[in-house]
Amino acid sequence: MNHPTRRILTGDRPTGPLHLGHYAGTLANRLRLQESYECFFIVADLHTLTTRPGRQDVARLGENIREMVLDYLAVGIDPQRSAVFLQSAVPETYELNLIFEMLVSVPRLERVPSLKEMAQAADLEAMSFGLLGYPVLQAADILLPRATLVPVGKDNEAHVEVAREIARRFNALYGEVFPVPEVMLGEVPSLVGIDGQAKMSKSLDNAIFLADDARTVEEKVRRMYTDPRRVRADIPGTVEGNPVFAYHDAFNADRAEVDDLKERYRQGRVGDVEVKARLSRALNTFLDPIRERRADVARRPGRVEEVLQDGTKRARHEAILTMAAVRDAMGLYRLGSE
Ligand code: ATP
Ligand code: MG
């Protein structure tokens, strides 16, 4: 099959609002690349079922999906260029998922580190068949539009590796249908949470959301974890691994200010209060245009639905082409073809 040379597939699970970690890990790359790549951004609602299959969780999906598309449009994803689509509305996903399930072993999937973490975080008694298959479903997402590049955060790197192996295995067994997609990590592959303990995550209550208002940001920055040994401003502090500086590095556009703060922090010539006040200001400067665009889009009734409908149509078109090539390559028996 002919491959487009520059095509992206990536996306997020609609489990809640997007946060600064999503931005640093993958959204920034999407924005940078959407002019030079043909992009497919997936709202991965089926993937939420792997850890949250409950009736109430499913009932919340509609609202979460709409909020997430709003977040996308707010950060500047351009639906004219890029297809934003709903995973469950592309039935070929289920089809290719099943075929891919035969091309990877259980022990291989059991070695994917993030799956155990997800099972633990979700308080699951035992890993479900579906959760073990998380990276297989993701491989179907990536390979249905025959993507060549997958911009994701660090926790997803191992999943893309599974997709690469499945693509190679399929091609070796049945003939060249799929490109072997490359992974691309963000400039901050794993942004730490405001608790300084783990990666920023909506489930850990340590996130600053793209939709947070200015006062919420200030309040979260005020209780952000810093260097715990620094009980007074004149004690030299550690910059490396300090979340406050990780955020300054990632989001403060005033590099001179960041360098000056780091130097004074190391020398014990600036207090945490000032470093944090400047961080709040920088974050709010970064978030302001996102908030404005969010409000603009929210004022247009039906806009989110329209974007998803249009993007899903485009994604489905590619999925149908791919599945025809898959069936052809495999030589699956065709009923009524005699
Ligand atoms: P969360 O971890 O906040 O619950 P999630 O796991 O539901 O979010 P995913 O849909 O798994 O979100 O991730 C969406 C994308 O964002 C992935 O590419 C992931 O690697 C990236 N990402 C999520 N959190 C971070 C983070 N703290 N730093 C960098 N990238 C991140
Ligand atoms: Mg995750």
Side-chain angles (χ1 to χ4, degrees), residues 39-107:
C39 294
F40 290 85
F41 298 131
I42 186 169
V43 179
D45 57 342
L46 297 175
H47 270 105
T48 66
L49 302 178
T50 60
T51 50
R52 304 183 191 196
R55 204 186 165 88
Q56 304 227 310
D57 302 314
V58 176
R60 259 197 302 272
L61 279 176
E63 178 65 16
N64 286 347
I65 289 166
R66 278 190 295 277
E67 287 299 310
M68 213 173 89
V69 176
L70 260 181
D71 276 335
Y72 281 175
L73 299 176
V75 295
I77 281 176
D78 175 3
Q80 305 287 338
R81 270 179 201 286
S82 306
V84 175
F85 73 100
L86 185 63
Q87 183 184 32
S88 63
V90 179
E92 290 73 17
T93 309
Y94 303 76
E95 235 180 309
L96 191 57
N97 178 57
L98 182 132
I99 289 168
F100 282 177
E101 281 171 351
M102 317 306 160
L103 305 183
V104 60
S105 75
V106 170

Side-chain angles (χ1 to χ4, degrees), residues 22-221:
H22 295 119
Y23 194 95
T26 157
L27 289 171
N29 272 335
R30 297 183 207 177
L31 296 170
R32 190 166 61 79
L33 297 173
Q34 74 175 339
E35 319 246 304
S36 48
Y37 278 75
E38 190 182 355
C39 294
F40 290 85
F41 298 131
I42 186 169
V43 179
D45 57 342
L46 297 175
H47 270 105
T48 66
L49 302 178
T50 60
T51 50
R52 304 183 191 196
R55 204 186 165 88
Q56 304 227 310
D57 302 314
V58 176
R60 259 197 302 272
L61 279 176
E63 178 65 16
N64 286 347
I65 289 166
R66 278 190 295 277
E67 287 299 310
M68 213 173 89
V69 176
L70 260 181
D71 276 335
Y72 281 175
L73 299 176
V75 295
I77 281 176
D78 175 3
Q80 305 287 338
R81 270 179 201 286
S82 306
V84 175
F85 73 100
L86 185 63
Q87 183 184 32
S88 63
V90 179
E92 290 73 17
T93 309
Y94 303 76
E95 235 180 309
L96 191 57
N97 178 57
L98 182 132
I99 289 168
F100 282 177
E101 281 171 351
M102 317 306 160
L103 305 183
V104 60
S105 75
V106 170
R108 171 66 183 95
L109 294 173
E110 282 171 342
R111 282 200 303 274
V112 175
S114 51
L115 299 182
K116 274 184 223 116
E117 286 160 28
M118 276 195 269
Q120 263 169 10
D123 266 335
L124 301 179
E125 274 167 44
M127 172 98 64
S128 71
F129 181 57
L131 180 54
L132 187 66
Y134 190 115
V136 182
L137 183 58
Q138 194 170 336
D141 297 336
I142 294 169
L143 295 172
L144 266 181
R146 304 177 307 284
T148 57
L149 186 70
V150 190
V152 285
K154 183 81 186 158
D155 56 350
N156 257 272
E157 193 176 22
H159 300 180
V160 181
E161 188 49 42
V162 172
R164 289 166 56 82
E165 289 168 21
I166 289 176
R168 279 199 214 99
R169 177 115 174 95
F170 185 99
N171 292 345
L173 276 175
Y174 306 116
E176 288 284 325
V177 169
F178 296 109
V180 179
E182 303 284 334
V183 70
M184 177 185 272
L185 297 185
E187 222 164 288
V188 187
S190 188
L191 187 73
V192 68
I194 59 171
D195 57 0
Q197 306 304 309
K199 69 155 195 161
M200 183 176 284
S201 163
K202 55 208 155 205
S203 35
L204 298 175
D205 196 23
N206 65 1
I208 295 178
F209 297 106
L210 300 178
D212 278 346
D213 61 29
R215 291 222 3 229
T216 307
V217 169
E218 278 163 31
E219 197 257 313
K220 287 182 177 175
V221 169

